[in-house]
Amino acid sequence: MEQLTSKRKLTIMISIMAAMLFAAINQTITSTAMPRIISILDGMDYYTWTINIYMLTSTIATVLVGKLSDMFGRKPFLLAGILLFMVGAFLTGTSTDVFQFITYRGIQGVGAGIIQSTSFTAVGDLFPPRERGKWMGLLTAVFGFSSVIGPTLGGYLVDHLDWHWLFWIFLPLGVFAFALILALFPKSARKESISIDYVGSLFLTTTIVPLLLAFSWAGTEYPWGSWQIIGLLIGSVLSLAIFLFVEMRAANPILPLDLFRNGVVTVSNIIGFLMNFGMMGALIYLSFFVQGVLGISATYAGYVTMPMSIVMVISSAITGQLISRKGKYKRYAMIGVPIMVAGMGIMVVMNDVPTAVLSMIVFGFGLGLGMPVFSIATQNAVSHKQLGVVTASMQLFRNLGGTIGIAVMGTVMSNNLTRHLKEALQAKAANFAQLDPAVAKQMAAFANPRALMNKPLLDETRAGLPATIQPVFDDLITNIRHALGQTLSTVFLTGALVLSVAFLLVFFLKELPLRTSNQGAQVTEDSSENSSEESLPSSAVME
């Protein structure tokens, strides 16, 4: 597909970005509205499943489609992904109970996973590694753009329209992307019959599903040491052992193990895992700080985190352009990852809104510099026939890192919060002893950090107390906010340490010359010392 005209490539990329935006914004637009939707459907007991089912199906679809798209081409999977996502979105909007909602969200997840996997891979079909940087940067920017407008738009729509429209309003964008890809995306050459690794696919699925469920439920639904979590982890390990056994003997493995003999792929995947571990695990608790510690309402809390997404959009797009122009990528990871660490370090000491915004700006800048690098590095390190599977492996490690990071950070928060709250309440024990037991019980309910995030309830409770008790209540809330702030500092510090490990691994990432054609032989790690002049695009390649 490198031989297509620049105009046709641009049109195809617009359709791919439209598909990515369609999937991404449908995910972010529901983030603020989901609690209200599930409450309307009377399904709060199943709230976690509305999130977990999407995560599970999208992760499985991402990794399985990677290999299949290498075998049968990207076009049928791109079309299938968009179609499944549109069907899932439409059906989700028709849900009349939480069980239908969960089922249809699962269908959406499958479509989203397929779109995510094939979109990044399709860039590799259209452009050689030397030219991919600018497009990878733009695809990353699409995610950032959806995180900027999605939550705010979702909150507005759910306040002014029926909730069903959150899932229907962007369906025309999906139709537009589907039509463009159907008309313009080239068909792959028909290949001879190839065996599909059904057994490997089965055991890869039974490895990932219990692993993700274990880390999603640990510390929330069940204790870490419960038989449910231990059982899921044991099941995942056993499935992994069988999967490895099967893959070593499969004629056409769904996830070739020889990929991980490639140092660039292995190091990039581990860094991706650690970056998402530290990033998602810490950022998920930023709302606790903004609303729980600073006392900012949910309406305005989004404006504190928005600068991160805006800066990431800009920096990732610029980084992609620079990578394509200079032919070098490692330097941007060497700069970007420590900036992310610095941003997380500011989160450790932040105590007001300006500092929180500064931390978001710094972190978003580093994220935009670093994230596109590893996609380009992994794709450039393998032959074109493995493009889909290597992209899928990278996204799998990132998804696993994010899920496990959220669980581990949650445990760090829970353990430290218990200690800090105990100290805060003990300091005010004398004041509590003088209160009416009913009033004391009402005030003690705010020792839960989630209660601190409900500002209207806080104001209502304070207003209902006698004037002589209000100073005691204010003092208690101040102490609990301080305890939560200390706890979150530990969470952010843990994230910074994990990102520091990722930075150290960047030194072990070998920079291979970016190929100027998809038709050439695989670049080996031994060629990493070649000069930058060797990777300059020839005039024949430039259109």
Side-chain angles (χ1 to χ4, degrees):
M1 284 195 278
E2 289 179 89
Q3 291 73 31
L4 298 176
T5 64
S6 297
K7 184 177 179 180
R8 188 172 179 185
K9 285 182 180 181
L10 177 61
T11 310
I12 293 171
M13 280 305 304
I14 290 172
S15 65
I16 291 173
M17 286 190 285
M20 288 278 285
L21 179 62
F22 175 55
I25 203 165
N26 269 277
Q27 186 173 0
T28 59
I29 200 174
T30 59
S31 58
T32 51
M34 191 70 80
R36 187 182 301 185
I37 295 171
I38 302 306
S39 178
I40 292 171
L41 294 174
D42 194 24
M44 289 307 291
D45 289 342
Y46 301 96
Y47 181 76
T48 56
W49 269 109
T50 65
I51 300 170
N52 289 339
I53 192 66
Y54 190 96
M55 171 194 67
L56 289 171
T57 54
S58 63
T59 301
I60 296 300
T62 295
V63 68
L64 295 184
V65 165
K67 177 65 177 181
L68 294 175
S69 70
D70 282 335
M71 296 164 59
F72 303 109
R74 322 296 175 205
K75 184 174 183 175
F77 292 100
L78 268 172
L79 294 173
I82 296 171
L83 187 60
L84 277 172
F85 198 91
M86 286 195 297
V87 170
F90 176 78
L91 291 175
T92 303
T94 66
S95 301
T96 56
D97 60 56
V98 71
F99 300 108
Q100 289 182 359
F101 189 90
I102 291 170
T103 302
Y104 300 148
R105 283 289 284 173
I107 296 173
Q108 265 194 293
V110 173
I114 296 173
I115 292 170
Q116 182 180 5
S117 179
T118 50
S119 293
F120 278 96
T121 309
V123 177
D125 289 334
L126 291 167
F127 303 98
R130 180 62 189 264
E131 297 179 45
R132 281 177 208 162
K134 54 189 176 185
W135 298 107
M136 289 289 189
L138 288 174
L139 284 182
T140 304
V142 167
F143 279 106
F145 176 73
S146 68
S147 3
V148 171
I149 67 170
T152 305
L153 182 61
Y156 176 83
L157 290 176
V158 82
D159 284 338
H160 295 85
L161 296 174
D162 191 275
W163 68 265
H164 305 82
W165 284 100
L166 268 74
F167 299 94
W168 296 342
I169 194 168
F170 285 104
L171 286 176
L173 181 60
V175 174
F176 169 75
F178 185 92
L180 279 182
I181 290 172
L182 180 65
L184 297 173
F185 203 95
K187 293 181 180 180
S188 297
R190 191 175 183 86
K191 298 179 180 180
E192 60 184 37
S193 179
I194 305 174
S195 62
I196 298 176
D197 182 15
Y198 293 107
V199 178
S201 302
L202 172 64
F203 283 103
L204 180 59
T205 302
T206 57
T207 297
I208 294 172
V209 169
L211 181 67
L212 292 176
L213 286 177
F215 281 99
S216 297
W217 287 343
T220 53
E221 300 291 321
Y222 306 102
W224 278 91
S226 65
W227 66 265
Q228 290 94 338
I229 301 301
I230 298 298
L232 286 169
L233 292 175
I234 291 174
S236 179
V237 171
L238 291 176
S239 287
L240 176 62
I242 298 173
F243 170 73
L244 294 175
F245 178 82
V246 169
E247 293 302 275
M248 286 189 289
R249 290 158 179 77
N252 191 30
I254 194 72
L255 185 62
L257 300 182
D258 61 2
L259 272 181
F260 302 101
R261 297 194 190 103
N262 185 312
V264 174
V265 173
T266 300
V267 171
S268 295
N269 281 340
I270 295 174
I271 292 173
F273 176 90
L274 291 173
M275 285 179 68
N276 271 36
F277 185 108
M279 178 182 69
M280 294 299 296
L283 292 185
I284 200 74
Y285 294 103
L286 191 68
S287 60
F288 278 93
F289 179 85
V290 175
Q291 297 178 58
V293 178
L294 299 181
I296 296 175
S297 67
T299 305
Y300 296 103
Y303 296 118
V304 177
T305 57
M306 190 180 290
M308 184 195 78
S309 299
I310 294 174
V311 173
M312 188 196 77
V313 168
I314 297 171
S315 61
S316 62
I318 293 174
T319 300
Q321 294 288 335
L322 291 173
I323 290 174
S324 291
R325 188 180 304 166
K326 303 292 185 182
K328 296 288 185 179
Y329 54 85
K330 183 175 178 177
R331 63 184 64 171
Y332 302 105
M334 294 291 293
I335 299 170
V337 179
I339 291 177
M340 290 175 67
V341 175
M344 198 74 77
I346 297 173
M347 293 179 204
V348 174
V349 299
M350 64 184 175
N351 54 14
D352 53 32
V353 172
T355 311
V357 172
L358 175 63
S359 72
M360 290 289 92
I361 292 173
V362 173
F363 192 89
F365 181 61
L367 183 63
L369 283 175
M371 284 301 276
V373 167
F374 304 104
S375 302
I376 296 169
T378 52
Q379 288 190 354
N380 183 61
V382 300
S383 61
H384 188 260
K385 66 181 181 181
Q386 291 184 307
L387 195 62
V389 71
V390 79
T391 305
S393 75
M394 173 193 63
Q395 290 167 343
L396 171 64
F397 274 80
R398 288 181 178 179
N399 289 346
L400 290 176
T403 302
I404 295 172
I406 291 170
V408 172
M409 297 297 188
T411 301
V412 170
M413 178 176 171
S414 178
N415 291 341
N416 284 274
L417 184 61
T418 301
R419 176 169 56 86
H420 289 307
L421 281 177
K422 185 178 179 180
E423 293 171 358
L425 294 175
Q426 282 178 345
K428 298 300 172 184
N431 292 338
F432 267 88
Q434 301 171 9
L435 298 176
D436 178 86
V439 174
K441 183 178 181 181
Q442 184 183 14
M443 291 169 59
F446 288 94
N448 182 341
R450 292 191 180 276
L452 286 180
M453 297 175 71
N454 192 337
K455 196 172 186 299
L457 179 61
L458 268 173
D459 295 338
E460 181 184 338
T461 302
R462 186 184 187 281
L465 294 172
T468 55
I469 303 299
Q470 288 181 359
V472 178
F473 180 75
D474 293 339
D475 197 25
L476 172 68
I477 295 300
T478 299
N479 276 271
I480 293 174
R481 290 192 194 282
H482 180 67
L484 180 59
Q486 286 181 303
T487 300
L488 290 173
S489 290
T490 306
V491 172
F492 297 137
L493 178 61
T494 305
L497 292 174
V498 172
L499 287 173
S500 297
V501 176
F503 173 57
L504 292 176
L505 287 175
V506 175
F507 287 94
F508 296 92
L509 178 67
K510 291 186 177 181
E511 184 167 39
L512 308 181
L514 292 176
R515 300 195 306 275
T516 57
S517 172
N518 286 334
Q519 306 305 319
Q522 178 179 340
V523 179
T524 63
E525 294 183 23
D526 294 335
S527 64
S528 60
E529 302 301 325
N530 289 359
S531 65
S532 59
E533 286 76 16
E534 291 176 325
S535 62
L536 290 173
S538 64
S539 58
V541 176
M542 301 299 291
E543 296 179 290

